[in-house]
Amino acid sequence: MNLCDPKTIKDIMSIFGLTFRKEFGQNFLTDIGTVQSIADSCLGADTILEIGAGCGSLTHELAQRYRHVIALEIDKGLIPLLKYTLEDDKNVDVIQADVTKTDLGVLLSEEFRNGKVSVCANLPYYITTPILLQLLESGLSFECITVMIQAEVADRLCAKPGDSEYGSVTAFMSYFGKCERLFEVPACRFLPPPKVDSTVVRLNLYKDKPVKPVNEETFFRVIRAAFGQRRKTLPNALSAGISELSKAEITEAILACGYSADIRGERMSVEDFASVADEIFRRTEKKNEQ
Ligand code: SAM
């Protein structure tokens, strides 16, 4: 069965009484070359977590390449269809679940004990960033995270300080790993075609993060606050998000790190954020001791 053939996809959907559900971001890939290239991009992994199996085209290609595939799918209606399309792929476990409500640590604990685990997915557009943040915040040591996402979101993830697309998500991601843009996928390669083009990116996660803030929570808060008020200078932006110190104290902390008071978050690298966050954390601790 060719799971990338539009007619085949439509026929099986209709046999199982299903329609494409927009609210779940159901745009299925119809280009086998693209599906195979995505599946190839996690080489070295033993287990793959796939998010959003759809009708199983990527799941099937992953099953040919990796020891075990755990495929999550939110849509209950697709589960019997996936049982049918993946009948011969004995190394696949399809689980009906919403990834955002799933404890991935519990789900994958056995897999991490047995080998290397990576994530591979054609992500639903409506929820791309929350899923990426969930994967990173889980603290799980994935080898890599390969995802197909909206081209515009890929621009943001791969941006550098000073680029107009650079934002809190970029800084956050680059703390965890390096984002590699693999290839572009035009909208015409999906059924139904979405309104935008897509890009496949791979986030190669650091085993040992090069930047080590003293207090991770403060570091994340500083990044969020810096971009919460994007047009403001860093002292103004941070004073709106960090209530423990006054604006004057925050400005002093920024100056003590060697930055000028009119710097803006959009020009700062992860290293810069870590040094400001460390200084703010130290000054807050000191203030609390007094
Ligand atoms: N992997 C298939 C492909 O490449 O053709 C389908 C990809 S489609 C863009 C996204 C899939 O994710 C859909 O099947 C959708 O039902 C599923 N999905 C959407 N939200 C989800 C969630 N929160 N958790 C798990 N799966 C979800």
Side-chain angles (χ1 to χ4, degrees):
M1 188 183 338
N2 179 358
L3 292 173
C4 286
D5 172 47
K7 181 169 175 334
T8 307
I9 299 174
K10 280 185 205 155
D11 286 350
I12 346 171
M13 292 285 282
S14 126
I15 290 168
F16 284 87
L18 303 171
T19 49
F20 298 97
R21 295 184 66 174
K22 214 174 166 188
E23 73 273 28
F24 288 149
Q26 290 181 354
N27 303 98
F28 298 162
L29 269 164
T30 55
D31 182 68
I32 184 70
T34 304
V35 174
Q36 289 173 337
S37 301
I38 298 174
D40 281 341
S41 67
C42 293
L43 288 179
D46 300 294
T47 296
I48 299 289
L49 170 69
E50 188 195 4
I51 299 162
C55 66
S57 54
L58 178 59
T59 325
H60 173 70
E61 289 302 322
L62 291 168
Q64 312 307 305
R65 291 162 173 77
Y66 305 97
R67 195 172 70 204
H68 189 193
V69 179
I70 298 181
L72 301 186
E73 175 50 61
I74 195 172
D75 185 353
K76 287 191 177 77
L78 281 171
I79 304 302
L81 181 152
L82 285 162
K83 284 218 166 79
Y84 171 69
T85 57
L86 300 172
E87 198 184 5
D88 296 330
D89 295 321
K90 304 295 179 211
N91 57 340
V92 173
D93 284 310
V94 175
I95 299 172
Q96 191 274 316
D98 175 343
V99 64
T100 62
K101 296 190 179 130
T102 302
D103 185 333
L104 297 177
V106 172
L107 178 72
L108 300 170
S109 62
E110 191 66 28
E111 307 301 323
F112 277 105
R113 267 198 292 279
N114 292 337
K116 296 177 175 172
V117 185
S118 284
V119 178
C120 192
N122 169 12
L123 286 182
Y125 291 155
Y126 77 103
I127 198 176
T128 303
T129 306
I131 292 177
L132 287 174
L133 295 181
Q134 178 193 0
L135 292 171
L136 296 174
E137 283 169 350
S138 71
L140 296 171
S141 45
F142 297 113
E143 292 302 305
C144 71
I145 298 174
T146 299
V147 282
M148 176 144 67
I149 54 181
Q150 237 175 290
E152 221 175 86
V153 178
D155 293 342
R156 251 182 275 150
L157 296 189
C158 303
K160 299 273 170 290
D163 293 349
S164 58
E165 296 86 2
Y166 187 73
S168 60
V169 174
T170 328
F172 194 81
M173 297 279 165
S174 48
Y175 168 61
F176 289 96
K178 269 206 167 88
C179 191
E180 196 184 341
R181 197 175 187 117
L182 297 185
F183 53 92
E184 312 299 314
V185 184
C188 61
R189 292 195 193 152
F190 295 84
L191 183 74
K195 289 201 177 73
V196 290
D197 292 331
S198 298
T199 301
V200 178
V201 298
R202 178 168 53 204
L203 195 63
N204 300 303
L205 298 175
Y206 296 124
K207 291 268 168 290
D208 182 23
K209 295 190 191 76
V211 176
K212 296 180 174 60
V214 177
N215 182 278
E216 233 182 23
E217 198 219 314
T218 308
F219 169 68
F220 292 146
R221 281 174 62 211
V222 163
I223 292 179
R224 266 196 303 273
F227 291 99
Q229 313 261 320
R230 208 185 160 88
R231 285 202 196 90
K232 293 195 172 172
T233 61
L234 194 64
N236 281 329
L238 294 192
S239 62
I242 310 279
S243 53
E244 302 90 309
L245 297 181
S246 68
K247 189 179 156 195
E249 289 167 329
I250 288 173
T251 308
E252 270 175 37
I254 293 168
L255 294 173
C257 295
Y259 305 107
S260 82
D262 61 2
I263 191 165
R264 286 181 165 74
E266 60 205 26
R267 302 220 149 264
M268 294 176 65
S269 67
V270 178
E271 290 82 355
D272 297 330
F273 281 121
S275 85
V276 170
D278 286 355
E279 193 60 35
I280 286 179
F281 181 71
R282 272 193 287 272
R283 285 172 188 244
T284 308
E285 293 276 281
K286 205 168 161 196
K287 194 172 173 182
N288 290 343
E289 280 164 16
Q290 286 163 4

